Amino acid sequence: MKIIREPHEMQQTALTLRDKAIRIGLVPTMGAFHDGHVSLMRRAKQENDVCVVSLFVNPLQFNDPSDFERYPRDEAADLEIARTVGVDILFMPSAAAMYPPDAQTFVEVTRVSQPLCGRHRPGHFRGVATVVAKLLMITLPRRVYFGLKDYQQCRVVAQMARDLYFPPDLVFCPTVREADGLAMSSRNARLSPEERRAAVVLPRSLELAQELFAAGETNPAVIRERVHGQLMTEPLAEVEYVEVVDAQTLEPITEITQPALVAIAAHFGRTRLIDSVVLTPPRPEPEPSAPDPLDISDVPGRAK
Ligand code: AMP
């Protein structure tokens, strides 16, 4: 595995590979690897010729400096995991290289960045969009891999890629969970044993949303209230938001007739966790169509 720290060296390497028609699959990460990251790396390896993983704890997406300071970092373990998975290039730039003092360019995706986490973490998605745009220009991937665990991030990146005509295919991968259902997250390492036990209320409350929806509930306000009620049963959970919104636009809805996102954020002590699920209404049965009077394929004696 090659480790590259300089953006220009990474870009030169990517250009050389591209000239040889070697396809790069990129997995952007902030490190402290777990099986969620590994699932993205494996997929990038499978579907491309070269797997590049970027490891960069992006200061621009932390609205709270103390959250940035406390973000889990474990470079030695990460190198080991990346090597074991067979990552070809680990790109680990410094903050000074990614954001030189004279940098003046930022990427802002408007509407889809505003609700949910955007409302509670001002500037977060501007930081995400800016760093992803830079990483794409530096690594020139054919495909780039994101986890649906960070659903709004996926929507923001998809909107940016569409608006700016970014060439790579975006691949959104399912959320990998612990045995008890808790979504894997680097931040889980920060939970005390009691908080870790309490955090299972997140997937439990999303399961409740799925059960209600499966039983015919299509009123987002009812689902939201019930999910909120379930979260409130856990004394260690401090709920930041529960929202049921259109899964595409992330805007409010009054009834679930299209795929809807149930998104939650809650603090357990000093650790903020998010999770979400998409509720997809079944497609209506197609109306039995009247026989086509011009269809003669079944007329005996006619050539089929
Ligand atoms: P992070 O290092 O947390 O910024 O995550 C890097 C990438 O891994 C992002 O695209 C995340 O959405 C994705 N990811 C994080 N946790 C999971 C998970 N539990 N399952 C699948 N993908 C994940």
Side-chain angles (χ1 to χ4, degrees):
M1 183 173 73
K2 194 165 176 191
I3 296 175
I4 300 182
R5 294 182 188 269
E6 264 307 308
H8 281 115
E9 185 191 346
M10 180 66 240
Q11 193 179 50
Q12 206 47 56
T13 306
L15 282 167
T16 307
L17 292 170
R18 204 175 61 171
D19 286 348
K20 296 183 191 158
I22 294 172
R23 291 162 308 178
I24 294 174
L26 170 69
V27 182
T29 80
M30 299 207 298
F33 294 153
H34 50 69
D35 282 354
H37 295 116
V38 168
S39 72
L40 271 54
M41 295 175 195
R42 289 201 201 286
R43 185 133 177 220
K45 256 191 90 62
Q46 251 167 35
E47 297 178 354
N48 304 276
D49 304 310
V50 163
C51 171
V52 176
V53 172
S54 63
L55 195 174
F56 178 58
V57 184
N58 174 29
L60 203 63
Q61 72 187 69
F62 286 82
N63 51 311
D64 171 1
S66 75
D67 187 27
F68 174 69
E69 292 305 323
R70 282 184 294 116
Y71 194 81
R73 292 167 173 88
D74 192 344
E75 198 174 307
D78 286 350
L79 289 179
E80 182 61 31
I81 292 172
R83 274 202 190 96
T84 308
V85 174
V87 168
D88 298 291
I89 299 175
L90 191 61
F91 174 50
M92 303 172 69
S94 66
M98 291 297 277
Y99 301 110
D102 65 339
Q104 304 174 35
T105 307
F106 301 90
V107 181
E108 196 166 318
V109 180
T110 56
R111 285 202 299 282
V112 84
S113 295
Q114 282 157 9
L116 310 178
C117 290
R119 187 163 293 143
H120 297 272
R121 302 185 70 188
H124 170 65
F125 288 116
R126 181 173 180 264
V128 169
T130 302
V131 81
V132 171
K134 287 185 188 238
L135 290 170
L136 295 182
M137 300 312 281
I138 294 167
T139 63
L140 306 173
R142 173 69 185 80
R143 297 188 186 83
V144 53
Y145 295 80
F146 297 95
L148 284 164
K149 144 96 179 13
D150 300 287
Y151 188 93
Q152 188 173 16
Q153 172 168 288
C154 292
R155 287 294 307 116
V156 167
V157 168
Q159 190 67 44
M160 170 181 76
R162 183 187 159 121
D163 290 348
L164 298 180
Y165 291 87
F166 279 179
D169 286 350
L170 308 184
V171 184
F172 300 119
C173 306
T175 302
V176 177
R177 296 179 178 278
E178 300 284 358
D180 65 359
L182 180 67
M184 290 194 183
S185 164
S186 304
R187 293 176 185 273
N188 292 353
R190 288 274 174 271
L191 298 169
S192 71
E194 296 75 37
E195 290 163 354
R196 171 63 188 82
R197 273 192 290 278
V200 78
V201 75
L202 296 173
R204 288 295 99 83
S205 64
L206 293 177
E207 283 160 21
L208 173 65
Q210 285 172 305
E211 283 162 21
L212 291 167
F213 184 64
E217 183 58 69
T218 57
N219 184 337
V222 171
I223 294 178
R224 181 176 182 275
E225 274 317 301
R226 293 288 303 276
V227 168
H228 195 259
Q230 172 92 357
L231 289 169
M232 298 291 279
T233 62
E234 175 46 66
L236 292 186
E238 193 192 314
V239 181
E240 184 178 278
Y241 69 75
V242 180
E243 303 274 3
V244 182
V245 294
D246 184 280
Q248 185 68 20
T249 63
L250 309 188
E251 285 170 5
I253 47 174
T254 52
E255 203 195 341
I256 303 176
T257 53
Q258 309 268 17
L261 178 78
V262 184
I264 53 189
H267 293 260
F268 296 82
R270 297 183 75 189
T271 305
R272 180 180 181 275
L273 300 180
I274 58 170
D275 203 349
S276 61
V277 70
V278 175
L279 306 177
T280 306
R283 284 165 166 268
E285 289 288 316
E287 294 282 317
S289 53
D292 178 355
L294 297 180
D295 181 2
I296 56 169
S297 57
D298 280 346
V299 175
R302 303 301 293 235
K304 294 212 170 155

